[in-house]
Amino acid sequence: MAATLIDGRAVAQRVREQVAADVAVFTAETGDQPGLATVLVGDDPASAVYVANKRRACVAAGIADLHAHLPADVSQDELVAHIQKLNADPQVSGILLQLPVPAHLDANLLVELISPDKDVDGLTAVSAGRLAQGVPGLRPCTPSGVIELLDHHDVELQGAEAVIVGRSDLVGKPLIHLLLQRNATVTVCHSRTRDLPAVARRADVLVAAVGVPRLIGADAVKPGATVIDVGINRLEEGLVGDVDFDAVREVAGLITPVPGGVGPMTIALLLRNTLTAARLQRGL
Amino acid sequence: MAATLIDGRAVAQRVREQVAADVAVFTAETGDQPGLATVLVGDDPASAVYVANKRRACVAAGIADLHAHLPADVSQDELVAHIQKLNADPQVSGILLQLPVPAHLDANLLVELISPDKDVDGLTAVSAGRLAQGVPGLRPCTPSGVIELLDHHDVELQGAEAVIVGRSDLVGKPLIHLLLQRNATVTVCHSRTRDLPAVARRADVLVAAVGVPRLIGADAVKPGATVIDVGINRLEEGLVGDVDFDAVREVAGLITPVPGGVGPMTIALLLRNTLTAARLQRGL
């Protein structure tokens, strides 16, 4: 029997509607609109599309769209000054520096300049530490979207065996802590794991976030498991996940497609983070 | 055949001698002595003993002993001012606020005030985030001591299955990242794990850091595994670890005793962190 599909577009739409409703209440109660400051440097076409999508989503949710497009040859000092200005601006709830930036800029240094309370991508060391220590803060959007999908489908996490394939700062490592906070028994696999299918087969909840097309085959999935595919690999045939979808859907209980699974969740959680940031800054 | 014992006292002594030699070189090259500022608040007898031991170890390693003993009724504001003074003092390489502090003080807020570059206990959110992201910074002493013991015995970590029992901010969670950086496949267990012995039995390297006397029995250990016991539980019969030592030593390949295993490593790594902090502050 084929697995039930997780419809990321539908769940993301629900989250966006809920954020819009919450933003309306926040704005009515405080007299202030949450605002997202997007920073796009240079003319990378893919980055331009990503930023445009985020800005449109903000407007639809009632979040102020505070955009700046800086030239590709902007100096590090100018960008530092820009971020410091955004940190100090009370209209700015969240700051999103679209990555990658041109090679002459120090992306890590620029990200670390972002005030942790405005770090809606959850990329700074402070945000990573707050997540690890379980204190309030802004969590990375994509891993938060994974948890949201699991919750939407009432997937039991407490006591479940969760296996994460991939240990990136963006997805794999934050998920360790998000899943631990939900009382899962968490295992992290990666390229040096000896028998990946055997380890993955232990999973009640399997998350693939490694960027290798169709790495996870049916032999790596326990019958009935929930399989979340964070991978988005561009092949000639189109977008392909880290999971061999056609084979695994015959084994899994629940599965995300690519595209239309985790992908749409990221912007939805960015909107929620922007509202969370606005609240954090007011001690709400 | 009984397991080989890991002699934490001997390994700690070697680390301390190496730190002393490195401190001598640092002091000769820079003209400055690394300094550890210990802060003891009130008159808890156990805390007084711990701080006295750390201070003695500093002196033995050539690290300046910069101690302050504040009264139990010190105000939060006074302690804040004291920590800020230490942050600004170039003679102070590392700051150690001995915990617990009296109940009227906000320990978390005080710890977070410590400059991350002087956070020799590795307790701040920034330190936790730097560890998770694998960027330079100060790592918590006890988990670093665990890695040191494993290295001393040439325990293969790459591709090994490492299982951590316990998810504390002090030991379990930092160990996830330290073991991942060594390319182990890492699993974290805790009180909600469904079948702890079965999960623990997968481990090539098993670390118990949960604070439950003799939780890990022989049924939870794969024959030949390396077993590291971070637990120090005070029972009427004396100090007891989280591992049922007498039973597990018949199964394991390598095992730490309690006391005399991980315990002595903590101060040794505190000394090393103080030297690392002194170097960080000079960009070395």
Side-chain angles (χ1 to χ4, degrees):
Chain A
M1 205 183 77
T4 301
L5 284 198
I6 296 176
D7 183 347
R9 291 198 186 91
V11 180
Q13 185 55 33
R14 281 176 53 137
V15 172
R16 288 166 67 153
E17 286 165 8
Q18 184 61 52
V19 172
D22 293 344
V23 164
V25 170
F26 177 90
T27 301
E29 285 182 352
T30 65
D32 271 343
Q33 190 184 14
L36 178 65
T38 46
V39 181
L40 176 64
V41 181
D43 303 298
D44 178 63
S47 290
V49 169
Y50 296 145
V51 170
N53 287 341
K54 292 168 186 173
R55 295 176 62 196
R56 245 194 317 273
C58 280
V59 172
I63 292 170
D65 165 30
L66 310 168
H67 179 63
H69 185 182
L70 304 175
D73 64 352
V74 67
S75 72
Q76 175 89 7
D77 286 351
E78 286 170 295
L79 206 43
V80 165
H82 184 73
I83 290 172
Q84 286 171 335
K85 193 184 67 183
L86 297 176
N87 280 341
D89 184 344
Q91 299 299 106
V92 172
S93 313
I95 301 171
L96 186 149
L97 175 64
Q98 184 67 40
L99 300 175
V101 291
H104 70 282
L105 299 168
D106 182 341
N108 288 339
L109 188 149
L110 293 166
V111 166
E112 285 300 329
L113 270 184
I114 296 172
S115 163
D117 291 339
K118 298 189 177 188
D119 174 27
V120 286
D121 268 339
L123 293 182
T124 62
V126 176
S127 292
R130 287 175 174 173
L131 168 55
Q133 297 183 339
V135 297
L138 295 162
R139 313 310 191 205
C141 301
T142 302
S144 298
V146 170
I147 300 293
E148 192 72 31
L149 288 177
L150 294 170
D151 282 348
H152 183 81
H153 284 272
D154 293 321
V155 175
E156 175 78 13
L157 292 174
Q158 175 146 325
E161 288 241 20
V163 176
I164 302 162
V165 185
R167 51 179 164 171
S168 67
D169 289 343
L170 267 173
V171 182
K173 289 191 212 158
L175 265 175
I176 297 170
H177 297 290
L178 291 171
L179 288 165
L180 271 182
Q181 281 160 19
R182 304 298 286 274
N183 294 321
T185 298
V186 180
T187 296
V188 194
C189 301
H190 42 76
S191 55
R192 310 300 177 87
T193 292
R194 277 191 206 133
D195 185 346
L196 180 61
V199 177
R201 220 162 33 232
R202 299 170 185 160
D204 301 306
V205 176
L206 178 63
V207 182
V210 72
V212 178
R214 301 197 184 97
L215 176 69
I216 304 297
D219 64 327
V221 177
K222 177 161 80 176
T226 296
V227 178
I228 305 287
D229 189 353
V230 184
I232 300 182
N233 307 288
R234 256 166 241 283
L235 302 188
E236 279 195 21
E237 62 198 279
L239 291 185
V240 168
D242 292 349
V243 173
D244 184 351
F245 181 80
D246 291 336
V248 169
R249 72 181 303 185
E250 302 301 325
V251 182
L254 263 175
I255 189 169
T256 56
V258 173
V262 175
M265 298 301 292
T266 301
I267 287 188
L269 273 293
L270 171 67
L271 301 176
R272 185 190 284 166
N273 269 356
T274 304
L275 175 59
T276 300
R279 286 175 170 154
L280 278 177
Q281 286 149 40
R282 293 172 162 264
L284 295 175
Chain B
M1 204 183 80
T4 302
L5 283 198
I6 296 176
D7 183 347
R9 290 199 186 92
V11 180
Q13 185 55 33
R14 282 175 55 136
V15 172
R16 288 166 67 154
E17 286 166 9
Q18 185 61 53
V19 172
D22 294 344
V23 164
V25 170
F26 176 91
T27 300
E29 286 182 352
T30 66
D32 270 344
Q33 190 184 15
L36 178 65
T38 46
V39 182
L40 175 64
V41 182
D43 303 296
D44 179 62
S47 291
V49 169
Y50 297 145
V51 169
N53 287 341
K54 291 167 187 174
R55 294 176 63 194
R56 245 194 317 271
C58 280
V59 172
I63 292 170
D65 165 30
L66 311 167
H67 178 64
H69 185 182
L70 303 176
D73 64 352
V74 67
S75 72
Q76 175 89 8
D77 286 352
E78 288 171 292
L79 206 42
V80 165
H82 185 73
I83 291 172
Q84 286 170 335
K85 193 186 66 183
L86 298 176
N87 280 341
D89 184 344
Q91 300 298 106
V92 173
S93 312
I95 301 171
L96 185 149
L97 174 64
Q98 183 67 40
L99 300 176
V101 291
H104 70 282
L105 299 168
D106 183 340
N108 288 340
L109 188 149
L110 292 165
V111 166
E112 285 300 328
L113 270 184
I114 296 171
S115 163
D117 291 340
K118 298 189 176 189
D119 175 26
V120 285
D121 267 339
L123 293 182
T124 62
V126 175
S127 293
R130 287 174 174 174
L131 168 56
Q133 297 182 339
V135 298
L138 295 162
R139 313 310 191 205
C141 301
T142 302
S144 298
V146 170
I147 300 293
E148 192 72 33
L149 288 176
L150 295 171
D151 283 349
H152 183 81
H153 284 271
D154 293 321
V155 175
E156 174 78 15
L157 292 175
Q158 176 147 324
E161 288 240 23
V163 176
I164 302 161
V165 185
R167 50 176 164 172
S168 68
D169 290 343
L170 267 173
V171 182
K173 288 190 212 159
L175 265 175
I176 298 171
H177 297 289
L178 291 171
L179 288 165
L180 271 181
Q181 282 159 19
R182 303 298 286 272
N183 295 321
T185 298
V186 180
T187 297
V188 194
C189 301
H190 42 76
S191 55
R192 309 300 176 86
T193 293
R194 276 192 208 131
D195 186 346
L196 180 61
V199 177
R201 221 162 32 231
R202 299 170 185 161
D204 302 307
V205 177
L206 178 63
V207 183
V210 72
V212 178
R214 301 196 183 98
L215 176 69
I216 303 298
D219 63 329
V221 177
K222 178 160 79 175
T226 296
V227 178
I228 306 288
D229 189 352
V230 185
I232 299 182
N233 307 288
R234 256 166 240 283
L235 302 187
E236 279 196 19
E237 62 198 276
L239 291 184
V240 168
D242 293 349
V243 173
D244 184 350
F245 181 80
D246 291 335
V248 170
R249 72 180 304 183
E250 301 300 325
V251 182
L254 264 175
I255 188 169
T256 57
V258 174
V262 176
M265 298 301 292
T266 302
I267 287 188
L269 274 291
L270 172 67
L271 301 176
R272 185 191 285 167
N273 270 356
T274 303
L275 175 58
T276 301
R279 287 175 170 152
L280 278 177
Q281 286 148 41
R282 293 173 162 263
L284 296 177

